[in-house]
Amino acid sequence: MLEAFDLGSWGRLSGGPVASGRLGSIWRLDTERGSWAVKQVGDAGDDEVAELLEGAAFQEAVLAAGLSTPAVRRTRAGEVIADCDGVRVRLHSWVDLHDTDPNLDPVEVGQLVAGLHRVDFAGSIGVDPWYTEPVGVARWTELVDTLRGRRAPFADELDALLPELVALEAYLGGPPRELRTCHRDLWADNVRRTPDGDLCVFDFDNAGLADPSQELGAVLVEYGAEPGRAALIRAAYAEAGGPGRVEHATDFAMAIAQLSHILVEGCRRWLAAGTDAGRADNEGWVREFLDRPLTRTVIAALLAD
């Protein structure tokens, strides 16, 4: 890695991952030329690599626009990904971050999202069904039946929510007002306060075309739960020149689709887990939604705020 990324003559890699998410782990590399977050690319196929490369390019455009995000470290040859003894890795500058906090200052959140939506970047990664397509009543029903057959501890709770989940999917399917490259994963895990007080946005792996109004709707779901916060986010976003507007329940379609697919994936992983620890971990993922479900009532409150 030192040679590939031109990081000097010495370095120290952490003894194991220092941070882990649902889709990967981060190692820390301290070198003569700074500290870096290292992420293994693994067995990503051509399409996945194309998405990673475009996400990195968008991240570089975001940084150039003056927003706080880790810098992408490119190799001596200008590549994002390096093959280091058969292990493919990519690096970003290390940034110290505070813990996840969905109660970040709403004005700053609105300004940050507006800044992201104003970045001049023409991407080619298209609209993804993960953010637009429903799960469907048949699949929801089959999933609940399977979970109940396996005695999942959350099966009854999911079953009770099933009518609401199906009703929400009626908001999906409308045409976008506009399409531009968006982050598409602005949950609180990926927007953190830094020790110097900035809001830092990271993990651009899922960036691609989306409706900025839809992404703003998802931001309201994540950061606008308490009364008054959604109004502050929307006002700050508009004042900062953000192009999106959340005016109708259909403007929450992206959040509905994404949270539904995340919930399904958490259930799938619970079913596939071979250990009690694995099942407990994935139950926690499922309960992130069950304990704070997105409903028509929640959407109405966000619109009325």
Side-chain angles (χ1 to χ4, degrees):
M1 285 191 287
L2 295 177
E3 173 63 23
F5 290 95
D6 192 21
L7 296 176
S9 61
W10 62 266
R12 181 178 62 253
L13 187 65
S14 58
V18 295
S20 297
R22 295 295 177 184
L23 299 177
S25 299
I26 299 293
W27 298 57
R28 177 167 175 152
L29 176 64
D30 295 304
T31 76
E32 181 181 351
R33 294 180 181 160
S35 296
W36 312 92
V38 180
K39 196 166 187 179
Q40 186 174 344
V41 175
D43 297 325
D46 291 344
D47 289 345
E48 292 174 283
V49 169
E51 292 174 0
L52 294 179
L53 296 181
E54 182 155 306
F58 182 42
Q59 185 171 351
E60 289 173 324
V62 167
L63 183 62
L67 300 176
S68 178
T69 188
V72 176
R73 182 70 179 189
R74 289 182 177 264
T75 68
R76 293 175 184 268
E79 302 293 337
V80 171
I81 299 170
D83 188 320
C84 299
D85 266 348
V87 179
R88 294 192 296 172
V89 297
R90 53 199 174 102
L91 272 61
H92 298 90
S93 59
W94 183 266
V95 179
D96 290 320
L97 302 166
H98 290 308
D99 291 338
T100 298
D101 181 9
N103 294 310
L104 293 169
D105 181 87
V107 172
E108 291 180 79
V109 170
Q111 292 170 339
L112 172 65
V113 179
L116 288 169
H117 289 171
R118 294 181 62 197
V119 172
D120 184 15
F121 182 84
S124 61
I125 299 300
V127 175
D128 192 298
W130 182 270
Y131 308 99
T132 60
E133 297 299 317
V135 173
V137 62
R139 190 177 177 200
W140 279 125
T141 303
E142 179 184 6
L143 180 62
V144 169
D145 288 345
T146 303
L147 289 166
R148 182 172 281 121
R150 293 278 298 276
R151 298 186 179 181
F154 50 84
D156 289 342
E157 295 167 76
L158 183 58
D159 190 26
L161 270 176
L162 206 57
E164 187 64 32
L165 292 169
V166 172
L168 283 173
E169 291 183 343
Y171 295 146
L172 276 59
R177 298 182 195 172
E178 176 191 357
L179 284 177
R180 63 168 296 116
T181 297
C182 293
H183 185 282
R184 301 199 303 194
D185 201 14
L186 291 174
W187 307 110
D189 286 344
N190 295 329
V191 180
R192 307 275 192 98
R193 183 79 65 189
T194 65
D196 62 8
D198 289 336
L199 288 189
C200 179
V201 58
F202 54 97
D203 196 350
F204 285 73
D205 294 359
N206 296 312
L209 292 180
D211 184 338
S213 296
Q214 295 283 336
E215 182 158 72
L216 179 58
V219 166
L220 296 182
V221 169
E222 180 74 339
Y223 302 97
E226 297 299 321
R229 287 179 57 86
L232 291 172
I233 293 170
R234 292 162 74 180
Y237 175 89
E239 186 175 348
R245 295 294 182 270
V246 175
E247 300 169 339
H248 309 286
T250 51
D251 292 326
F252 292 89
M254 179 177 177
I256 293 166
Q258 190 173 7
L259 289 174
S260 295
H261 289 297
I262 290 171
L263 178 58
V264 168
E265 180 64 12
C267 293
R268 186 194 68 78
R269 291 189 182 204
W270 186 92
L271 290 166
T275 65
D276 289 342
R279 283 185 286 273
D281 179 59
N282 288 292
E283 181 182 349
W285 189 357
V286 171
R287 290 196 179 281
E288 287 179 14
F289 182 90
L290 296 180
D291 293 345
R292 185 188 158 197
L294 178 59
T295 65
R296 290 168 292 176
T297 299
V298 170
I299 287 174
L302 291 171
L303 285 170
D305 193 352

